[in-house]
Amino acid sequence: MKLPLVEKSRSEEVVLLRAVLPASAEPALVSYRTRTGAVLRVAGMAAGAYDREHRDVVVKGSEEPRALELEVELEALPTNGLPSGPGIMWWLLNAFSHQKPQRFLDVTAAANNVMVSASNVIVSPSNDPEQRSLSERESKGEALPLIGHSHLDVAWLWTYAQTRRKAERTFAIACDLLNRDPDFRFAQSQPQLYRFVEENDPQLFERVRQEVRAGRFDPGVAALWVESDCNIPSGESLLRQMLFAHEYCAQRLGVTPSIAWLPDSFGFANTLPQLLAHAGIPFFATTKLQWNDTTRFPYAQFVWRGPDGSTVTSALIQSHDGGPYPWRVNTARERHEPLVLGYGDGGGGVTAKMLAQACEIGRWIRPREWFEGLANRSEPLPVYSGELYLEYHRGTYTTHHDMKSQNALLERALLEAEELVAWCEAVRAPAAATAQFAQRLHAAWEIVLRNQFHDVLPGTAIGDVYRDAEEEYAQAQELVASAIASAESMLPRTGAHSAAKRCSPRADGAAFSFDNGLLHARVGGDGVITELAAAGGRSVAIEANVLALYRDRPRAWEAWNIDDGYQPTLRRIAARNARISGDSLELAYDLDGSPGTMRIELRDGERSLRVELDVDWRARRTLLRVENRFAVQTGEVTYGSPHGTLVRSALRNTPAERAKFEVPGQRFAAVRDARGEGAAILSLDTYGWSALSQGSEIALGHSLLRGTTWPDPEADIGSHRLAYAFAPVRSISIGALERAWIRFAHEPRVRLFTSENQSVLVVACKPAEDRDGAIVRVRECDGQACSARLRSGARVAAAHAVDALERRIENPVAIENETLVFDLKAFELRSLRVRFGHA
């Protein structure tokens, strides 16, 4: 029967069509064809949804006629099969992304308790001979564990607003299939998606909650707020991804997620297992390392160990998208891993046809079941230490610097604001006021976390996403500024912290010299640093601060990739019009039609030479880097990573070493010889690096800007302020280097907690989520176990250890006067809850 649809309303995004379904005691199979997507509502409740792969919804029988409403999207890309660059496929997908909605529904009878495939083939689970033999296959170990899933990018080739509708459709489809098959299980990551559905369709969200309580709709894989990038966000951001996810899932869904499900993120920092373990998350899964372009990761399942010895049970699954094709089934069996079924990228998920096919190959599980079996198996898993470096998508450390700059600015501002609110807690400011401040910061954090999604912060989304993100970042900045101003108004004035005085450069022939008694530098009129020395030490600079432009035309995935082989296209750009302006050296640049102004300065009491470059960037398919050569004999470089550091080789002897021609690093990169003498480059919000050891010297390069044209043709066009600094080092510890970065990146402030031990760094101080005291987080930087002493600026009443989710754990803490005393293992990260007494 064809059921006509009548248009009732229309917006720019959606048209609403209505029909009346005749009374029938039998369930009906209601079919609809759409390229863009549609949600079917029965008596106002979402019953299911349609897209290119999902063409039917089962509607329960009723003795009364029922109103049907169909919300059809007028424009949307398909859920999968999306291209890696511009061209005919991208043109066709956009051409077919608009649709004039079909004006009828196809309605046929469907029997009770059946699975109905997309081709309307009815299969009864109870009568299927393959289903009857499933227990026999399980006993022989041949039945595959199946995970129902839909990968849904929170933003990519679509905006957040479009993702809200995609999430609604995906969740409605899953609920429809859960009704059809009592054995089906569906896992969905990212609490942000649940929040979208909760805000858009509370009734559908309540239906999801019912399935969660029944153990069938599984948020156990939602351990991070979004499937975040894991190279660019700070360690504190990654912990907040876990904290916000835990809070939402526990409060709204009654579930504690246990799996960091990050199938599509672009590589993983060496500290991620330590951060996951600190949040009590025991399992990790990805597929992305299958994209490596040079070497093959050796393990399908392994124990991943962090710098402090923390471990998570981990899996590199072959793929996370598609149906039960023979090659996927065979690969899953060979690798002894689950088969992840369901369409994705743009959502959608499992189809009814997949339900029918699943009976022939295995059984649906919740992912935790398989991970627990993996962790408890008798044969030990191989252990892997270090980063999970993706040998691909190396440009994501640099593309869309504006996003990275705003993210880093807010990360720093939020840490400063949280410490002020913690001070309010310590001095017993009115609880209602501090609760308001904390709520503003919570809202700002949610914006930051959402925009750390792995296709947003790395710079690989369409332009409309970045226009939305710019507005959101402005909101977050207002929230943080308001919280800071309000908190400061309630605290005793401590006196303004003035910026350190600048040491004026002096003309030295055709060059310029800087000296503050701690550092000496000489800069040519072309902007190149030719001398860089700590007091009493030799110069380590051969030539540094060389701006260079390169041709940047990757073969595929333009915004994602930097291809090896760009290096011979180098064009050095010399400064002009060098002059002393105030207490700084100012230089002008013409960066291939992009005007730039550089300021170089040295401040009293600092051991680093600051560089600030303002650029009005207009270049396309061009890579801007700062190249540096240091007279340091070493084969390795130490980079900052999220709440830690990582040492990488600077050699090119093996395929794996050659694949790391561009690597991620945050805060700094440091090179030191056997005597501990060398140099460090401090970075504010730029993350791409290269290093090459060349005998008695080392080349250390840093990527600053790109000019990619797809998927955002205007990526990076506009004004940028790039800040970095050069520091000669002599026997400096990592802890001291971290403190130098803090002085470079943060304005001075009165700290609530301090440590005199250079190796013990306070990385966060915040009000507790439950308003019960403050949380202080510290890490040991130099790989030396110690007894830490943390001095409090306020009277301490009590303290105990907590994990990153602020749950109490057993780990002794003593209080001596206003000092917290506790043990720290090498590279350990610890969190403490501190309650304050009256002054």
Side-chain angles (χ1 to χ4, degrees):
M1 173 178 68
K2 291 192 180 300
L3 202 61
L5 291 161
V6 178
E7 182 174 326
K8 291 299 182 181
S9 64
R10 179 183 291 258
S11 68
E12 291 184 1
E13 296 84 18
V14 175
V15 61
L16 179 62
L17 307 175
R18 288 183 180 169
V20 176
L21 182 65
S24 172
E26 298 299 322
L29 189 69
V30 181
S31 302
Y32 187 76
R33 289 181 176 269
T34 174
R35 293 192 306 270
T36 58
V39 174
L40 178 68
R41 298 187 185 279
V42 179
M45 293 281 292
Y50 307 97
D51 57 31
R52 188 178 63 181
E53 286 79 25
H54 299 85
R55 297 183 177 179
D56 50 55
V57 175
V58 172
V59 177
K60 295 178 181 179
S62 172
E63 299 296 335
E64 301 291 334
R66 282 157 295 165
L68 302 183
E69 290 184 343
L70 196 65
E71 297 171 2
V72 184
E73 292 191 50
L74 295 175
E75 180 182 358
L77 291 171
T79 60
N80 62 92
L82 298 163
S84 62
I88 187 63
M89 179 62 72
W90 180 237
W91 182 87
L92 285 171
L93 286 174
N94 279 282
F96 284 95
S97 67
H98 304 265
Q99 181 180 28
K100 183 178 180 181
Q102 180 178 276
R103 293 308 181 100
F104 63 87
L105 295 165
D106 282 313
V107 180
T108 56
N112 274 312
N113 299 320
V114 298
M115 294 181 293
V116 186
S117 76
S119 57
N120 296 345
V121 176
I122 298 174
V123 181
S124 169
S126 59
N127 297 323
D128 179 14
E130 291 292 343
Q131 179 70 12
R132 288 198 303 270
S133 64
L134 180 57
S135 59
E136 180 182 349
R137 291 200 302 276
E138 285 181 328
S139 66
K140 295 179 180 179
E142 298 173 357
L144 273 177
L146 308 176
I147 296 175
H149 178 58
S150 176
H151 183 59
L152 177 49
D153 289 325
V154 172
W156 177 30
L157 302 177
W158 43 82
T159 63
Y160 290 130
Q162 291 169 317
T163 300
R164 287 176 177 269
R165 295 193 293 273
K166 290 178 181 292
E168 192 174 356
R169 283 193 276 113
T170 300
F171 282 42
I173 288 168
C175 287
D176 175 33
L177 298 183
L178 288 167
N179 278 344
R180 302 193 199 191
D181 182 359
D183 295 324
F184 180 48
R185 302 289 183 271
F186 183 75
Q188 191 68 57
S189 65
Q190 306 186 105
Q192 179 66 81
L193 298 179
Y194 293 81
R195 169 69 63 80
F196 282 163
V197 172
E198 182 179 14
E199 292 171 344
N200 274 30
D201 192 337
Q203 289 180 312
L204 175 58
F205 181 72
E206 185 55 39
R207 185 178 173 192
V208 167
R209 280 164 51 108
Q210 293 173 6
E211 296 290 358
V212 170
R213 287 193 289 268
R216 306 183 67 218
F217 198 117
D218 182 17
V221 294
L224 278 74
W225 184 251
V226 297
E227 290 178 12
S228 171
D229 182 82
C230 292
N231 290 312
I232 299 165
S234 68
E236 202 55 33
S237 284
L238 292 175
L239 290 179
R240 303 308 173 88
Q241 289 278 351
M242 302 168 202
L243 175 63
F244 277 49
H246 169 78
E247 283 190 331
Y248 183 86
C249 290
Q251 294 171 9
R252 305 299 297 140
L253 300 169
V255 168
T256 298
S258 59
I259 301 169
W261 184 267
L262 299 168
D264 205 32
S265 298
F266 309 145
F268 307 94
N270 65 313
T271 51
L272 185 58
Q274 181 171 345
L275 301 179
L276 292 171
H278 192 45
I281 299 165
F283 307 124
F284 164 81
T286 188
T287 67
K288 201 65 176 184
L289 294 192
Q290 303 291 2
W291 287 46
N292 277 5
D293 60 16
T294 304
T295 69
R296 184 177 180 82
F297 189 76
Y299 311 120
Q301 298 97 36
F302 57 102
V303 171
W304 189 15
R305 183 163 58 200
D308 71 335
S310 299
T311 60
V312 290
T313 300
S314 304
L316 172 59
I317 297 170
Q318 179 66 33
S319 63
H320 63 271
D321 174 70
Y325 312 120
W327 70 267
R328 294 192 76 224
V329 171
N330 292 337
T331 299
R333 284 181 172 146
E334 290 168 2
R335 293 170 60 88
H336 306 289
E337 67 187 16
L339 178 61
V340 182
L341 294 176
Y343 290 109
D345 276 350
V350 177
T351 65
K353 185 176 182 179
M354 291 179 193
L355 284 188
Q357 294 169 320
C359 300
E360 304 171 5
I361 55 175
R363 65 181 184 88
W364 299 106
I365 65 162
R366 289 182 292 178
R368 179 167 185 137
E369 297 175 35
W370 181 78
F371 272 98
E372 287 178 337
L374 184 64
N376 295 326
R377 74 178 196 173
S378 57
E379 182 181 346
L381 292 168
V383 177
Y384 180 84
S385 299
E387 67 180 325
L388 298 180
Y389 174 79
L390 176 64
E391 296 172 352
Y392 208 50
H393 292 357
R394 302 170 182 89
T396 57
Y397 321 139
T398 305
T399 309
H400 255 295
H401 169 259
D402 53 333
M403 286 295 294
K404 296 167 173 63
S405 176
Q406 291 296 312
N407 174 76
L409 176 66
L410 279 163
E411 286 178 332
R412 298 192 303 274
L414 279 161
L415 290 183
E416 294 170 7
E418 285 182 331
E419 188 165 20
L420 284 171
V421 179
W423 266 112
C424 290
E425 294 280 356
V427 300
R428 297 301 185 98
T434 56
Q436 285 185 355
F437 306 157
Q439 286 171 2
R440 293 174 206 167
L441 299 182
H442 194 281
W445 264 118
E446 194 166 311
I447 290 171
V448 170
L449 300 181
R450 175 165 54 251
N451 286 290
Q452 289 173 347
F453 180 73
H454 67 258
D455 272 313
V456 179
L457 183 57
T460 55
I462 58 174
D464 283 345
V465 171
Y466 296 112
R467 285 181 276 277
D468 291 344
E470 185 177 352
E471 293 180 4
E472 289 201 337
Y473 279 147
Q475 295 170 13
Q477 289 164 6
E478 289 180 7
L479 288 165
V480 175
S482 170
I484 288 174
S486 299
E488 286 180 336
S489 71
M490 304 192 75
L491 293 172
R493 296 189 179 275
T494 58
H497 288 275
S498 57
K501 181 182 175 182
R502 296 183 181 92
C503 297
S504 298
R506 60 181 178 86
D508 185 5
F512 302 86
S513 292
F514 293 82
D515 202 308
N516 65 356
L518 300 172
L519 178 149
H520 170 78
R522 180 179 172 88
V523 183
D526 57 359
V528 176
I529 300 170
T530 56
E531 293 180 17
L532 183 71
R538 67 178 180 87
S539 173
V540 293
I542 298 173
E543 58 173 9
N545 200 41
V546 177
L547 293 189
L549 297 174
Y550 298 87
R551 185 176 181 270
D552 183 20
R553 292 177 176 266
R555 291 180 292 275
W557 299 104
E558 183 178 339
W560 291 256
N561 286 355
I562 291 176
D563 288 355
D564 199 11
Y566 74 85
Q567 297 87 347
T569 66
L570 177 150
R571 287 182 291 147
R572 290 175 62 128
I573 307 297
R576 50 186 172 81
N577 301 330
R579 65 188 184 93
I580 296 174
S581 176
D583 295 320
S584 303
L585 174 62
E586 189 171 289
L587 310 104
Y589 288 86
D590 180 358
L591 300 165
D592 204 16
S594 300
T597 301
M598 180 181 287
R599 286 171 297 279
I600 302 176
E601 67 178 45
L602 180 63
R603 298 181 183 180
D604 272 347
E606 291 193 352
R607 301 176 187 270
S608 60
L609 185 69
R610 294 175 178 249
V611 180
E612 197 172 81
L613 176 63
D614 287 328
V615 183
D616 185 11
W617 188 247
R618 300 294 168 189
R620 302 286 78 198
R621 292 179 170 174
T622 301
L623 174 62
L624 172 64
R625 308 188 86 231
V626 57
E627 302 291 2
N628 315 279
R629 289 167 53 224
F630 297 111
V632 179
Q633 186 170 0
T634 182
E636 60 186 32
V637 184
T638 301
Y639 299 91
S641 63
H643 277 338
T645 54
L646 172 65
V647 177
R648 293 191 184 98
S649 172
L651 305 175
R652 294 290 183 270
N653 295 332
T654 68
E657 288 175 342
R658 290 190 289 273
K660 293 182 179 180
F661 60 86
E662 184 85 358
V663 296
Q666 52 182 248
R667 302 189 305 283
F668 56 82
V671 293
R672 294 176 289 185
D673 63 19
R675 299 186 303 273
E677 193 168 39
I681 301 177
L682 312 179
S683 66
L684 196 63
D685 48 31
T686 43
Y687 301 89
W689 303 84
S690 67
L692 181 61
S693 177
Q694 299 171 318
S696 61
E697 66 180 67
I698 187 167
L700 183 61
H702 191 35
S703 296
L704 302 178
L705 286 171
R706 302 184 70 201
T708 59
T709 63
W710 191 85
D712 179 6
E714 297 185 351
D716 279 325
I717 286 179
S719 298
H720 299 267
R721 174 162 292 179
L722 301 148
Y724 50 93
F726 295 92
V729 298
R730 298 184 67 194
S731 302
I732 187 173
S733 68
I734 295 298
L737 186 58
E738 293 280 13
R739 291 167 190 265
W741 181 85
I742 291 172
R743 183 165 183 171
F744 166 68
H746 288 266
E747 293 298 322
R749 65 186 191 272
V750 178
R751 306 302 299 268
L752 181 53
F753 294 95
T754 56
S755 171
E756 293 182 1
N757 185 337
Q758 289 281 298
S759 295
V760 178
L761 192 70
V762 177
V763 295
C765 178
K766 63 182 289 291
E769 293 296 303
D770 60 5
R771 320 299 314 132
D772 183 12
I775 305 296
V776 59
R777 194 157 13 253
V778 300
R779 67 173 248 249
E780 198 287 316
C781 300
D782 291 299
Q784 299 174 352
C786 66
S787 176
R789 300 181 65 84
L790 205 60
R791 176 73 179 175
S792 172
R795 185 181 294 273
V796 174
H800 62 257
V802 295
D803 66 6
L805 306 183
E806 303 182 12
R807 303 173 298 193
R808 184 164 188 159
I809 59 176
E810 293 305 317
N811 209 337
V813 182
I815 301 173
E816 297 179 4
N817 297 321
E818 307 309 326
T819 299
L820 306 178
V821 182
F822 51 92
D823 291 335
L824 271 177
K825 297 186 297 184
F827 299 120
E828 186 176 12
L829 185 71
R830 285 196 64 178
S831 301
L832 310 173
R833 181 191 294 269
V834 181
R835 298 185 179 95
F836 301 98
H838 293 288

